[in-house]
Amino acid sequence: MTTQTLNNNNNKSRWRRRGHRWNVASIFLVLMLALFSVSTVVDATYRIGVGRADCTGPPVEIGFMGYAEFSQRGHGIHLRQFSRAFIFEDEHEERVVFVSADAGMMGHAVKRDVVDLLQKRYGDVYRMDNVVMSGTHSHSVPSGFLMSFLYDIASLGFVPQNFNALVEGIALSIVRAHEGMRDGRIFVSEIEVKEANINRSPSAYENNPKEERARYKDYTDKKLVQLRFEDPGTGEIFGAVNWFAIHPTSMNKTNCYVSSDNVGYASILIEQEMDPGSLPGKGAFVGAVAASNLGDVSPNIMGPKCQRSGLPCDLLTSSCPSGQGLCIASGPGKDMFESTRIIGRRIHAAASELLKSRGGREIRGPIGYAHQFIDMTKTEVPYFNRTSGQTESVRGCFPAMGYSFAAGTTDGPGAFDFRQAMLKDTAFWNAARDFIAVPTDEDIACHAPKPILIASGRTTFSYETQPKIVPVQVLQVGSFVIAAVPAEFTTMSGRRLREAIEETSLQAGGKRVQVVIAGLSNMYTSYVATPEEYAIQRYEGASTLYGPHTLTIYLHHFRKLMEAIVSGVKLPDEGPEPPFEDYKQITLSTGVVFDGHPFRMYFGDIQEQPKEIYEKGDTVKAVFVAGNPRNNLMHEKSYFTVEKLDDQGQWKVVANDASWETKFRWIRKSTLVAYSDVEFEWETGPETEEGTYRIQHFGYWRYILGGTYPYNGTTRNFSIL
């Protein structure tokens, strides 16, 4: 051994001895830094974007979507419609989008055009397979955007203005989410919402297997599921999506105000709580209450009663003895506005509790997605028959609606002599049916025991009466899965679908996942009842388009989607795309021709001034000379503002036409000379601050020779004491 080697060894030995304590300290420091680094990486697992935009449709003269009531045409606004978008991206830059829009449902053409707009701006980042668009299913919003004859009939066909309002609003909400993407953590939690929903078809639900029903405490899903988004550095909560099974039918079919109903109101309350002092649709926090498996779920928790006698209805048929009126469900309030407020606040209270507790499970893991189109009329799938104990092959039928469809529901009864649970047809209604389209013998056998009232799959109109090709889609964010269904799944249908996807993930070698149903997504195809519920032929079964095994087909294809995501293999076939029928659309609703005003008055002039003094709890009212609100939908703006004079002598907007406490009604005074007024109401309450106020009205009028022009009017000042 050389002297140099010895010296080197001695130096190493001395370094070890001298550095012993330094090594412990340094190792501790390095470990802490490493842990901090790992924590930072874990906490910022995703990049998340949230965005919201106004998508309010024409508020007057257009029929509403939902009740199919021709007399239910808009005459003003109570709550505006908003689109809320949520983007999720993992570390591999895989990205998915979920949108919840205050619309009756979603249309394929709407999604197609939104994706086209996004691709012109961002390339192929957003596509049909990684974007889900879901409608909340309010029955108090304009129709005419689905491009299916039966669904657009209430609005007298296609309404381009409403279609464009949805496309532009949804696209803008996604753009805003895209431009605001940030690092974020995702947490999922759930809570029971009490006294908010009931099953409106219990007799059909009870036809499901007894052992299956025994696994569930309630006839409806009572849990609200929430995704919460937090900033990894500050802990700030900047967004949330909530899924809850409830029909937005607290506003009944006599309502003619545009309204996002109970879930829309709940969304506004969540956002305003997280952004105190903000006006509806204006804060940074974005919170949605999205549709789930709401098919047989009603918010009218006082239950169905005979209109005149107040006695309970027949449970099976939802009918009343002669002279006792229609069978209608209501509650919990004294009228539809109070009921909407109560149900909306109960949903908000549950969502708020989850946000405040900051509990739940953190979502981690990669993002996946799968999408496919299915021709329901040509699909055959295996089905295990519980009665025979054998597996058999079943298929979908051409679309058709049953007799009980015309009976309506206890949320909105139909007309004539139709009742729910009708299993026999009549010569009279069959003759009326055959005048439009005649079902084949094959159709009748395929749909049995449904007696066919509308053979929608056999019509020969210029475009489809109801869709034949439907989309199925799954989004996965870590251990959380969104099943996007193009229909209203009943409670048990949704439960079976969630269970099928959860089981498939494990069987395919994937992780245990939590599944939510995103109802009324990407396209609308009425209802999906279980085969057992279908046999009873309540409204939901009669509205299950593709026959008794509609759910069976969906379960089969959603399993395939989940298998594809777990295996990481893209589906070999995207399926046949729905037909492009934009140029075939029929539009019978007329546009605004011109606006007139009374002699010696002008648009925006005051017909009725507010009183000079009001007390808290009073309703302030003003009437203006107006143009037709369809001249400009005032997106991201307002037809009305309530303004308070502050201590600096500046007017501050404290409410607008999207606020719960306001509503306006447009009244056509003369068709010949096109005079019209708008009545604006502002309901004050105990929380209203004392002070000086005024109301402003903004609008556009149409000149008879062409062009629209802005105007505004301002009331005199008034005081709240």
Side-chain angles (χ1 to χ4, degrees):
M1 185 177 292
T2 65
T3 305
Q4 182 63 46
T5 303
L6 179 60
N7 289 338
N8 286 342
N9 285 340
N10 288 338
N11 287 338
K12 289 178 183 177
S13 179
R14 285 195 299 271
W15 181 85
R16 292 191 188 101
R17 288 194 298 269
R18 287 198 308 267
H20 178 72
R21 285 181 294 179
W22 180 87
N23 278 339
V24 172
S26 63
I27 290 170
F28 178 75
L29 179 61
V30 168
L31 286 173
M32 289 300 294
L33 288 172
L35 286 172
F36 176 77
S37 176
V38 170
S39 176
T40 302
V41 172
V42 170
D43 288 351
T45 304
Y46 302 103
R47 284 183 54 76
I48 302 169
V50 300
R52 177 187 52 245
D54 194 336
C55 62
T56 307
V60 302
E61 300 185 304
I62 301 299
F64 284 173
M65 181 67 214
Y67 292 115
E69 179 69 42
F70 285 94
S71 63
Q72 191 189 22
R73 310 182 73 75
H75 66 202
I77 291 178
H78 182 216
L79 295 173
R80 276 188 173 266
Q81 300 168 251
F82 293 101
S83 171
R84 297 171 173 91
F86 305 88
I87 302 176
F88 311 100
E89 183 183 79
D90 65 16
E91 58 186 351
H92 305 294
E93 298 187 350
E94 290 289 356
R95 181 177 296 201
V96 294
V97 183
F98 177 77
V99 175
S100 177
D102 291 327
M105 57 284 294
M106 196 47 57
H108 169 72
V110 173
K111 179 178 178 179
R112 180 202 65 206
D113 282 14
V114 168
V115 170
D116 285 348
L117 287 175
L118 294 173
Q119 290 187 342
K120 288 175 183 176
R121 187 177 184 121
Y122 301 117
D124 67 347
V125 174
Y126 302 108
R127 306 174 303 279
M128 297 295 283
D129 62 354
N130 69 347
V131 175
V132 166
M133 298 180 190
S134 172
T136 60
H137 201 39
S138 170
H139 285 41
S140 293
V141 292
S143 61
F145 60 91
L146 291 174
M147 296 195 184
S148 295
F149 183 82
L150 186 64
Y151 297 137
D152 287 343
I153 197 169
S155 57
L156 304 179
F158 181 64
V159 181
Q161 188 179 35
N162 192 34
F163 180 87
N164 292 333
L166 283 172
V167 169
E168 293 166 9
I170 293 170
L172 181 57
S173 70
I174 297 174
V175 167
R176 286 174 171 168
H178 177 100
E179 301 298 332
M181 290 189 72
R182 59 199 285 190
D183 290 344
R185 302 171 67 185
I186 306 175
F187 296 87
V188 59
S189 53
E190 56 187 44
I191 189 172
E192 185 173 305
V193 185
K194 298 178 180 179
E195 297 184 335
N197 63 17
I198 60 171
N199 193 307
R200 69 186 186 190
S201 290
S203 55
Y205 179 88
E206 288 172 353
N207 202 46
N208 290 306
K210 184 177 181 181
E211 63 275 13
E212 182 180 34
R213 288 185 284 116
R215 293 163 48 200
Y216 303 99
K217 183 180 68 171
D218 299 300
Y219 279 29
T220 61
D221 287 336
K222 303 289 186 181
K223 286 184 179 178
L224 176 145
V225 179
Q226 180 183 93
L227 286 187
R228 182 179 79 253
F229 316 125
E230 292 188 6
D231 186 285
T234 64
E236 170 202 4
I237 302 174
F238 58 90
V241 192
N242 306 272
W243 285 270
F244 183 60
I246 190 168
H247 249 89
T249 49
S250 292
M251 302 294 290
N252 63 42
K253 67 179 184 178
T254 67
N255 170 58
C256 292
Y257 290 102
V258 169
S259 171
S260 54
D261 212 290
N262 45 44
V263 294
Y265 179 47
S267 298
I268 290 171
L269 289 174
I270 293 166
E271 291 176 334
Q272 290 189 306
E273 179 183 20
M274 299 302 290
D275 278 318
S278 66
L279 292 168
K282 299 299 182 183
F285 178 92
V286 179
V289 179
S292 191
N293 52 321
L294 51 72
D296 52 0
V297 184
S298 171
N300 297 305
I301 59 176
M302 289 170 59
K305 302 285 192 304
C306 294
Q307 198 173 15
R308 297 195 180 98
S309 67
L311 297 174
C313 310
D314 179 78
L315 185 65
L316 177 63
T317 64
S318 292
S319 61
C320 295
S322 178
Q324 292 191 16
L326 297 173
C327 174
I328 299 176
S330 62
K334 65 179 183 297
D335 59 29
M336 61 183 170
F337 290 100
E338 186 177 62
S339 293
T340 303
R341 184 200 296 262
I342 292 170
I343 297 297
R345 287 184 171 179
R346 287 175 182 171
I347 297 170
H348 159 251
S352 175
E353 185 174 336
L354 292 179
L355 288 171
K356 289 175 181 176
S357 67
R358 289 179 174 265
R361 173 175 58 86
E362 183 164 10
I363 300 296
R364 304 175 190 272
I367 282 174
Y369 48 88
H371 173 279
Q372 197 170 40
F373 288 112
I374 308 164
D375 188 335
M376 297 292 283
T377 67
K378 297 179 180 179
T379 301
E380 291 192 21
V381 300
Y383 171 67
F384 178 74
N385 190 319
R386 295 170 188 256
T387 303
S388 67
Q390 302 293 318
T391 298
E392 56 194 57
S393 179
V394 297
R395 69 177 189 84
C397 313
F398 269 65
M401 305 293 273
Y403 268 59
S404 296
F405 158 73
T409 72
T410 54
D411 291 332
F416 304 108
D417 57 347
F418 293 100
R419 296 185 175 191
Q420 296 202 51
M422 291 184 71
L423 295 173
K424 293 183 179 180
D425 54 11
T426 68
F428 174 80
W429 287 114
N430 281 356
R433 172 200 68 194
D434 293 349
F435 181 76
I436 300 171
V438 181
T440 66
D441 291 341
E442 184 181 12
D443 293 336
I444 294 170
C446 186
H447 279 278
K450 176 201 291 181
I452 296 175
L453 179 65
I454 303 174
S456 52
R458 300 296 181 181
T459 56
T460 56
F461 295 124
S462 63
Y463 57 99
E464 281 190 328
T465 301
Q466 290 178 299
K468 298 182 181 71
I469 297 171
V470 306
V472 289
Q473 188 173 10
V474 169
L475 304 183
Q476 181 172 5
V477 181
S479 58
F480 190 81
V481 170
I482 300 170
V485 299
E488 302 175 56
F489 275 47
T490 62
T491 299
M492 194 62 83
S493 293
R495 288 170 175 171
R496 290 185 187 178
L497 179 57
R498 290 199 301 264
E499 187 175 78
I501 293 173
E502 290 166 1
E503 288 178 351
T504 301
S505 178
L506 293 174
Q507 292 167 359
K511 63 179 73 173
R512 185 176 299 278
V513 295
Q514 180 175 355
V515 182
V516 294
I517 307 297
L520 305 112
S521 292
N522 303 329
M523 180 184 281
Y524 185 61
T525 60
S526 292
Y527 284 73
V528 177
T530 68
E532 296 86 355
E533 292 165 348
Y534 184 94
I536 301 300
Q537 279 298 292
R538 292 269 301 175
Y539 177 85
E540 295 81 16
S543 303
T544 297
L545 290 190
Y546 310 107
H549 289 290
T550 301
L551 175 62
T552 310
I553 296 169
Y554 277 121
L555 293 177
H556 175 81
H557 284 280
F558 272 99
R559 286 191 184 100
K560 285 176 57 179
L561 296 183
M562 196 64 220
E563 286 175 359
I565 292 174
V566 172
S567 64
V569 177
K570 184 176 176 63
L571 290 169
D573 182 16
E574 270 290 298
E577 287 198 20
F580 182 89
E581 299 187 317
D582 298 37
Y583 63 96
K584 298 180 180 179
Q585 298 301 305
I586 297 172
T587 302
L588 297 180
S589 60
T590 58
V592 181
V593 179
F594 73 100
D595 291 299
H597 55 81
F599 182 62
R600 291 185 178 177
M601 298 193 80
Y602 192 69
F603 301 105
D605 285 354
I606 313 297
Q607 292 273 36
E608 181 182 329
Q609 289 278 9
K611 297 188 299 184
E612 292 185 3
I613 298 174
Y614 292 90
E615 295 182 355
K616 294 181 181 182
D618 290 345
T619 298
V620 181
K621 181 180 176 182
V623 181
F624 298 80
V625 177
N628 193 309
R630 286 198 285 154
N631 291 327
N632 191 303
L633 301 182
M634 305 297 283
H635 280 181
E636 307 294 323
K637 299 177 184 177
S638 179
Y639 290 105
F640 286 91
T641 56
V642 178
E643 302 171 8
K644 182 179 183 295
L645 191 64
D646 65 20
D647 295 338
Q648 286 73 45
Q650 302 295 316
W651 290 101
K652 177 185 177 183
V653 177
V654 297
N656 59 20
D657 65 7
S659 301
W660 172 266
E661 60 270 24
T662 68
K663 59 175 71 79
F664 81 83
R665 182 181 179 213
W666 180 78
I667 306 166
R668 184 179 288 282
K669 307 293 285 190
S670 168
T671 301
L672 181 63
V673 291
Y675 293 173
S676 60
D677 290 345
V678 287
E679 295 180 352
F680 178 78
E681 292 183 355
W682 174 42
E683 184 180 324
T684 66
E687 71 287 350
T688 305
E689 294 182 358
E690 297 179 0
T692 301
Y693 292 82
R694 71 180 185 186
I695 295 168
Q696 286 209 74
H697 165 47
F698 305 88
Y700 283 74
W701 64 277
R702 183 174 293 277
Y703 184 42
I704 194 169
L705 297 180
T708 58
Y709 302 91
Y711 70 88
N712 81 286
T714 307
T715 67
R716 68 186 179 191
N717 297 352
F718 58 92
S719 299
I720 304 290
L721 301 179

